[in-house]
Amino acid sequence: MSIIGHAARPDPADRALLQNDTASDVRRVLDTRPGCGDGLGHAAADTMIDQNPTRIQDQAQSTDLDVARDFLAAAYAGQQWSADQTRQPFSFRYTAVGDQAMTLRTIRFDGHLDGVMTPSEDFVVQWTTKGRASIGAGDDRIEMEPGRPQLWPQQGAAFSYDDYDQRIVQINRSALETVAGERGVAAGDLQLDHTVRPDDRALHVWRSSVQLISHTVMDRQASPLLQAEMGRLGALALLELYPVVSSSLPGELLLPKNSHIRLAVEYVHEHAHLPITTNDIAQVANLSLRALQHAFQRVFGMTPNAYIRQTRLDRVHDALLAGDPATTNIGDVARQWGFAHAGRFSSAYAEQHGEYPRDTLRRS
């Protein structure tokens, strides 16, 4: 069951109810160090650089169908959850390890479970190792493929699972925003496109990262600094797995006929800090160079290279507005975004933003 934007454990009242139920054999093992029990989804923005992050270790199991359903529903604030027995004997097991920036979770549920998950601030990637699973409904329905990661829709969605084993990586929004901010994504604007099918390269990066993260978070002797770095690694791998959706994309790109160009634009926004080429963009969008050029001219009235430059100038503008006039060096910011010639940069910036870089910095 994908877990969106809620604590790794139920609140004390729900936990006591489950533990005292005589029909249940639910067992929980919690880290009792100071600060534990605050849950996930509300971590401070500097969680990933915390030198002594609070460890989370959480377990539960039961052979009672109703108790297991209520446990998950209470833990994750789900709606309209229902559960039924299947042909095999029912059993349930849940584990969670990590810290407030990121947790790794497993769920085994030998039965049928369905319901609705509410919108979330956190980012959750899930995959099944057995059983049947689907999320969404109608045209938005996604059938899970065993072993293939799937980002949970942040706006919430219906789900239906049968006799499943599931692996989950949940990353706190503030933790992901910290890493995404280094790529020029403004805090509060971070959205990931869960409908994208990750390519083989991104899948390899994700699986390798999760393997390393798993070994580290399971090691009780791992240093706090190394544990914190695992949260950063998870965030980086997630940003490679799913593209950032720009809030400034024109509405025309949402039309089905423009799906290819939308992929191209999202790739530019996500990778503007890297030396990307039109060949890279065309490959991602599954278009020829000629078709890519025509598409950008039709939608934006400019070439793909001009769009890349425009995007980078926007990132410079954002950086200058957020900078300190006493310490920010305009040349350094420009070079960070690929503008090496000061005169041409200043002219292009003024043409796009209606003022020179120094004027923007003075207003910060």
Side-chain angles (χ1 to χ4, degrees):
M1 167 61 5
S2 287
I3 302 156
I4 303 291
H6 296 285
R9 54 181 63 86
D11 63 39
D14 291 323
R15 193 157 63 238
L17 182 150
L18 290 170
Q19 291 175 324
N20 292 334
D21 193 316
T22 57
S24 170
D25 63 345
V26 171
R27 297 202 309 267
R28 298 178 58 79
V29 180
L30 304 178
D31 191 321
T32 57
R33 294 194 304 169
C36 210
D38 294 333
L40 302 181
H42 305 286
D46 60 352
T47 296
M48 286 205 306
I49 58 174
D50 187 349
Q51 297 301 301
N52 189 28
T54 298
R55 290 182 184 270
I56 292 172
Q57 182 177 355
D58 206 357
Q59 298 180 17
Q61 66 181 40
S62 178
T63 55
D64 186 294
L65 181 69
D66 292 335
V67 168
R69 177 204 60 211
D70 292 345
F71 174 88
L72 291 173
Y76 307 124
Q79 296 179 353
Q80 306 168 21
W81 286 37
S82 64
D84 294 297
Q85 187 118 7
T86 56
R87 292 182 178 180
Q88 62 186 36
F90 176 75
S91 65
F92 160 73
R93 182 174 176 82
Y94 164 89
T95 66
V97 294
D99 58 28
Q100 288 184 319
M102 178 183 65
T103 55
L104 307 184
R105 306 166 186 219
T106 66
I107 295 177
R108 188 192 74 208
F109 196 98
D110 292 326
H112 171 80
L113 186 67
D114 62 45
V116 177
M117 291 302 300
T118 54
S120 163
E121 282 295 300
D122 286 356
F123 296 86
V124 175
V125 179
Q126 57 162 336
W127 63 98
T128 56
T129 57
K130 78 162 193 173
R132 188 198 67 82
S134 66
I135 59 176
D139 294 339
D140 296 328
R141 185 185 182 91
I142 298 174
E143 292 289 343
M144 297 285 295
E145 300 177 33
R148 188 175 186 88
Q150 172 64 51
L151 180 67
W152 187 268
Q154 285 187 271
Q155 69 270 25
F159 64 85
S160 178
Y161 291 146
D162 290 290
D163 298 326
Y164 68 97
D165 280 352
Q166 185 182 44
R167 306 293 182 266
I168 301 166
V169 178
Q170 177 164 330
I171 300 176
N172 181 267
R173 166 171 282 275
S174 60
L176 193 64
E177 284 182 338
T178 299
V179 174
E182 298 170 3
R183 300 185 173 192
V185 179
D189 291 339
L190 183 59
Q191 298 181 55
L192 301 183
D193 188 351
H194 76 277
T195 65
V196 168
R197 184 178 176 85
D199 59 27
D200 290 341
R201 182 199 61 82
L203 287 173
H204 176 72
V205 171
W206 173 258
R207 288 164 177 158
S208 299
S209 300
V210 170
Q211 184 177 26
L212 176 59
I213 291 168
S214 179
H215 288 162
T216 304
V217 300
M218 293 296 291
D219 181 5
R220 299 288 293 180
Q221 304 304 314
S223 70
L225 179 59
L226 182 58
Q227 180 184 335
E229 281 302 307
M230 291 302 99
R232 177 178 178 81
L233 176 60
L236 286 167
L238 178 54
L239 291 174
E240 291 295 321
L241 196 62
Y242 285 94
V244 174
V245 180
S246 172
S247 60
S248 61
L249 296 184
E252 186 179 358
L253 289 186
L254 300 178
L255 299 177
K257 69 175 183 178
N258 290 325
S259 59
H260 289 286
I261 190 66
R262 179 185 173 190
L263 287 175
V265 168
E266 289 174 344
Y267 180 83
V268 170
H269 281 269
E270 183 182 4
H271 296 86
H273 63 296
L274 298 175
I276 56 177
T277 67
T278 52
N279 282 326
D280 297 328
I281 301 170
Q283 184 175 0
V284 167
N286 196 26
L287 294 171
S288 67
L289 282 175
R290 183 178 179 84
L292 183 74
Q293 297 280 354
H294 285 167
F296 269 81
Q297 286 290 351
R298 174 174 58 83
V299 176
F300 301 107
M302 66 180 71
T303 66
N305 279 330
Y307 188 85
I308 294 171
R309 185 182 69 166
Q310 174 181 284
T311 301
R312 289 171 175 163
L313 287 171
D314 286 342
R315 300 293 172 82
V316 173
H317 180 262
D318 293 341
L320 294 179
L321 280 178
D324 182 348
T327 59
T328 300
N329 184 291
I330 293 175
D332 290 344
V333 175
R335 284 188 289 274
Q336 178 185 351
W337 290 101
F339 300 99
H341 191 283
R344 287 197 292 267
F345 158 71
S346 185
S347 176
Y349 183 95
E351 180 180 355
Q352 181 161 322
H353 292 290
E355 63 182 6
Y356 287 102
R358 62 177 178 272
D359 300 320
T360 303
L361 185 58
R362 289 191 188 120
R363 295 192 293 109
S364 64

PDB file of all heavy atoms in Angstrom, residues 261 286-298:
ATOM      1  N   ILE A 261       6.364  16.850 -27.279  1.00  0.00           N
ATOM      2  CA  ILE A 261       7.035  18.117 -26.987  1.00  0.00           C
ATOM      3  C   ILE A 261       7.013  18.409 -25.488  1.00  0.00           C
ATOM      4  O   ILE A 261       7.927  19.021 -24.936  1.00  0.00           O
ATOM      5  CB  ILE A 261       6.398  19.278 -27.798  1.00  0.00           C
ATOM      6  CG1 ILE A 261       7.251  20.542 -27.683  1.00  0.00           C
ATOM      7  CG2 ILE A 261       4.997  19.549 -27.366  1.00  0.00           C
ATOM      8  CD1 ILE A 261       8.596  20.432 -28.310  1.00  0.00           C
ATOM      9  N   ASN A 286      11.506  11.211 -28.418  1.00  0.00           N
ATOM     10  CA  ASN A 286      11.263  10.245 -29.487  1.00  0.00           C
ATOM     11  C   ASN A 286      10.852  10.943 -30.784  1.00  0.00           C
ATOM     12  O   ASN A 286       9.905  10.550 -31.471  1.00  0.00           O
ATOM     13  CB  ASN A 286      10.196   9.232 -29.071  1.00  0.00           C
ATOM     14  CG  ASN A 286      10.182   7.990 -29.952  1.00  0.00           C
ATOM     15  OD1 ASN A 286      11.206   7.627 -30.544  1.00  0.00           O
ATOM     16  ND2 ASN A 286       9.032   7.344 -30.069  1.00  0.00           N
ATOM     17  N   LEU A 287      11.594  12.023 -31.098  1.00  0.00           N
ATOM     18  CA  LEU A 287      11.358  12.798 -32.313  1.00  0.00           C
ATOM     19  C   LEU A 287      12.656  12.906 -33.101  1.00  0.00           C
ATOM     20  O   LEU A 287      13.745  12.840 -32.529  1.00  0.00           O
ATOM     21  CB  LEU A 287      10.864  14.208 -31.970  1.00  0.00           C
ATOM     22  CG  LEU A 287       9.492  14.345 -31.298  1.00  0.00           C
ATOM     23  CD1 LEU A 287       9.291  15.775 -30.835  1.00  0.00           C
ATOM     24  CD2 LEU A 287       8.378  13.923 -32.246  1.00  0.00           C
ATOM     25  N   SER A 288      12.543  13.101 -34.403  1.00  0.00           N
ATOM     26  CA  SER A 288      13.726  13.434 -35.196  1.00  0.00           C
ATOM     27  C   SER A 288      14.111  14.882 -34.907  1.00  0.00           C
ATOM     28  O   SER A 288      13.299  15.669 -34.378  1.00  0.00           O
ATOM     29  CB  SER A 288      13.433  13.267 -36.686  1.00  0.00           C
ATOM     30  OG  SER A 288      12.491  14.241 -37.113  1.00  0.00           O
ATOM     31  N   LEU A 289      15.340  15.251 -35.253  1.00  0.00           N
ATOM     32  CA  LEU A 289      15.765  16.641 -35.028  1.00  0.00           C
ATOM     33  C   LEU A 289      14.874  17.610 -35.796  1.00  0.00           C
ATOM     34  O   LEU A 289      14.528  18.690 -35.292  1.00  0.00           O
ATOM     35  CB  LEU A 289      17.227  16.815 -35.446  1.00  0.00           C
ATOM     36  CG  LEU A 289      18.273  16.304 -34.461  1.00  0.00           C
ATOM     37  CD1 LEU A 289      19.673  16.432 -35.061  1.00  0.00           C
ATOM     38  CD2 LEU A 289      18.205  17.089 -33.153  1.00  0.00           C
ATOM     39  N   ARG A 290      14.530  17.237 -37.005  1.00  0.00           N
ATOM     40  CA  ARG A 290      13.677  18.104 -37.820  1.00  0.00           C
ATOM     41  C   ARG A 290      12.302  18.278 -37.176  1.00  0.00           C
ATOM     42  O   ARG A 290      11.769  19.400 -37.085  1.00  0.00           O
ATOM     43  CB  ARG A 290      13.540  17.520 -39.226  1.00  0.00           C
ATOM     44  CG  ARG A 290      12.732  18.393 -40.187  1.00  0.00           C
ATOM     45  CD  ARG A 290      12.700  17.756 -41.579  1.00  0.00           C
ATOM     46  NE  ARG A 290      11.925  18.547 -42.511  1.00  0.00           N
ATOM     47  CZ  ARG A 290      12.397  19.592 -43.178  1.00  0.00           C
ATOM     48  NH1 ARG A 290      13.662  19.962 -43.013  1.00  0.00           N
ATOM     49  NH2 ARG A 290      11.621  20.268 -44.021  1.00  0.00           N
ATOM     50  N   ALA A 291      11.710  17.162 -36.705  1.00  0.00           N
ATOM     51  CA  ALA A 291      10.399  17.249 -36.061  1.00  0.00           C
ATOM     52  C   ALA A 291      10.477  18.053 -34.766  1.00  0.00           C
ATOM     53  O   ALA A 291       9.548  18.805 -34.429  1.00  0.00           O
ATOM     54  CB  ALA A 291       9.862  15.843 -35.780  1.00  0.00           C
ATOM     55  N   LEU A 292      11.584  17.904 -34.034  1.00  0.00           N
ATOM     56  CA  LEU A 292      11.761  18.671 -32.799  1.00  0.00           C
ATOM     57  C   LEU A 292      11.807  20.167 -33.091  1.00  0.00           C
ATOM     58  O   LEU A 292      11.165  20.969 -32.395  1.00  0.00           O
ATOM     59  CB  LEU A 292      13.044  18.224 -32.099  1.00  0.00           C
ATOM     60  CG  LEU A 292      13.332  18.886 -30.756  1.00  0.00           C
ATOM     61  CD1 LEU A 292      12.403  18.331 -29.679  1.00  0.00           C
ATOM     62  CD2 LEU A 292      14.799  18.664 -30.341  1.00  0.00           C
ATOM     63  N   GLN A 293      12.563  20.542 -34.118  1.00  0.00           N
ATOM     64  CA  GLN A 293      12.664  21.961 -34.487  1.00  0.00           C
ATOM     65  C   GLN A 293      11.290  22.515 -34.853  1.00  0.00           C
ATOM     66  O   GLN A 293      10.900  23.598 -34.395  1.00  0.00           O
ATOM     67  CB  GLN A 293      13.626  22.120 -35.670  1.00  0.00           C
ATOM     68  CG  GLN A 293      15.059  21.715 -35.399  1.00  0.00           C
ATOM     69  CD  GLN A 293      15.844  22.792 -34.663  1.00  0.00           C
ATOM     70  OE1 GLN A 293      15.357  23.894 -34.453  1.00  0.00           O
ATOM     71  NE2 GLN A 293      17.060  22.452 -34.260  1.00  0.00           N
ATOM     72  N   HIS A 294      10.551  21.784 -35.668  1.00  0.00           N
ATOM     73  CA  HIS A 294       9.226  22.248 -36.080  1.00  0.00           C
ATOM     74  C   HIS A 294       8.281  22.368 -34.885  1.00  0.00           C
ATOM     75  O   HIS A 294       7.486  23.325 -34.803  1.00  0.00           O
ATOM     76  CB  HIS A 294       8.637  21.280 -37.114  1.00  0.00           C
ATOM     77  CG  HIS A 294       9.262  21.407 -38.476  1.00  0.00           C
ATOM     78  ND1 HIS A 294       9.075  20.470 -39.469  1.00  0.00           N
ATOM     79  CD2 HIS A 294      10.079  22.357 -39.003  1.00  0.00           C
ATOM     80  CE1 HIS A 294       9.732  20.834 -40.556  1.00  0.00           C
ATOM     81  NE2 HIS A 294      10.363  21.973 -40.294  1.00  0.00           N
ATOM     82  N   ALA A 295       8.358  21.412 -33.961  1.00  0.00           N
ATOM     83  CA  ALA A 295       7.472  21.438 -32.797  1.00  0.00           C
ATOM     84  C   ALA A 295       7.741  22.657 -31.922  1.00  0.00           C
ATOM     85  O   ALA A 295       6.804  23.324 -31.453  1.00  0.00           O
ATOM     86  CB  ALA A 295       7.632  20.153 -31.997  1.00  0.00           C
ATOM     87  N   PHE A 296       9.008  22.957 -31.681  1.00  0.00           N
ATOM     88  CA  PHE A 296       9.333  24.125 -30.859  1.00  0.00           C
ATOM     89  C   PHE A 296       8.937  25.428 -31.550  1.00  0.00           C
ATOM     90  O   PHE A 296       8.477  26.377 -30.896  1.00  0.00           O
ATOM     91  CB  PHE A 296      10.823  24.127 -30.508  1.00  0.00           C
ATOM     92  CG  PHE A 296      11.138  23.427 -29.217  1.00  0.00           C
ATOM     93  CD1 PHE A 296      11.236  22.047 -29.167  1.00  0.00           C
ATOM     94  CD2 PHE A 296      11.306  24.144 -28.037  1.00  0.00           C
ATOM     95  CE1 PHE A 296      11.518  21.390 -27.978  1.00  0.00           C
ATOM     96  CE2 PHE A 296      11.583  23.502 -26.843  1.00  0.00           C
ATOM     97  CZ  PHE A 296      11.688  22.125 -26.810  1.00  0.00           C
ATOM     98  N   GLN A 297       9.117  25.484 -32.853  1.00  0.00           N
ATOM     99  CA  GLN A 297       8.691  26.688 -33.575  1.00  0.00           C
ATOM    100  C   GLN A 297       7.180  26.848 -33.505  1.00  0.00           C
ATOM    101  O   GLN A 297       6.664  27.958 -33.327  1.00  0.00           O
ATOM    102  CB  GLN A 297       9.153  26.607 -35.034  1.00  0.00           C
ATOM    103  CG  GLN A 297      10.643  26.822 -35.241  1.00  0.00           C
ATOM    104  CD  GLN A 297      11.061  28.269 -34.986  1.00  0.00           C
ATOM    105  OE1 GLN A 297      10.231  29.169 -34.816  1.00  0.00           O
ATOM    106  NE2 GLN A 297      12.378  28.493 -34.938  1.00  0.00           N
ATOM    107  N   ARG A 298       6.451  25.740 -33.616  1.00  0.00           N
ATOM    108  CA  ARG A 298       4.991  25.805 -33.596  1.00  0.00           C
ATOM    109  C   ARG A 298       4.457  26.222 -32.239  1.00  0.00           C
ATOM    110  O   ARG A 298       3.546  27.060 -32.139  1.00  0.00           O
ATOM    111  CB  ARG A 298       4.415  24.439 -33.982  1.00  0.00           C
ATOM    112  CG  ARG A 298       2.894  24.332 -33.856  1.00  0.00           C
ATOM    113  CD  ARG A 298       2.384  23.007 -34.393  1.00  0.00           C
ATOM    114  NE  ARG A 298       2.985  21.866 -33.729  1.00  0.00           N
ATOM    115  CZ  ARG A 298       2.556  21.364 -32.568  1.00  0.00           C
ATOM    116  NH1 ARG A 298       1.532  21.935 -31.937  1.00  0.00           N
ATOM    117  NH2 ARG A 298       3.144  20.311 -32.028  1.00  0.00           N
TER     118      ARG A 298
END
